[in-house]
Amino acid sequence: MALAAVVAVPAHASSQACSVSYDYVIDSKANYFVPAAWNGTHLKDGPGGSMSVSVTKAGTLSLSATGTAEFSTSALFAKAKVSVSSTVATSVSVTVGHTYSHTITAGKYGNAQYGSWGYKITWSEYINNGPACLSHLYATGSATLPTDSTGWKYWETAS
């Protein structure tokens, strides 16, 4: 999605300058698996057969964001909660006891990793200020947002 660097905003009736304000825009969102790095990179078994995995310790998955300039994580999170999904969270606690089993295709290796079924977003922050009440692109970035939907991701590889 292309963004205009300057967006005209109608001037106030008075001749006073606009007060400075910031606005976040969610430019894109995609489903994204947020791995639980504290539970190991991933588990692998095979070739063929079956695998059974379980969470063996608790941990927290947290919002992760980057940007080109200073930004407010809490304001970005609030915008994502409305624009992306009401299920996004700044952090999600994962509890012990989730077991998962899967049959591995003959000759293939089964891989499993625990995490949150969340979102990956890109965002823009605009600053509104100046005598003409113009909105300028101030910062851009991306974030991974976990949700409270956690579980095992499974995939197969040739080796």
Side-chain angles (χ1 to χ4, degrees), residues 29-46:
K29 76 170 186 174
N31 292 330
Y32 185 77
F33 182 75
V34 182
W38 49 261
N39 200 37
T41 53
H42 77 272
L43 304 171
K44 183 175 181 178
D45 207 350

Side-chain angles (χ1 to χ4, degrees), residues 109-133:
Y109 289 84
N111 298 267
Q113 186 171 33
Y114 203 78
S116 167
W117 300 101
Y119 298 94
K120 185 168 215 157
I121 64 168
T122 58
W123 56 269
S124 299
E125 179 185 16
Y126 293 87
I127 184 171
N128 304 301
N129 67 353
C133 298

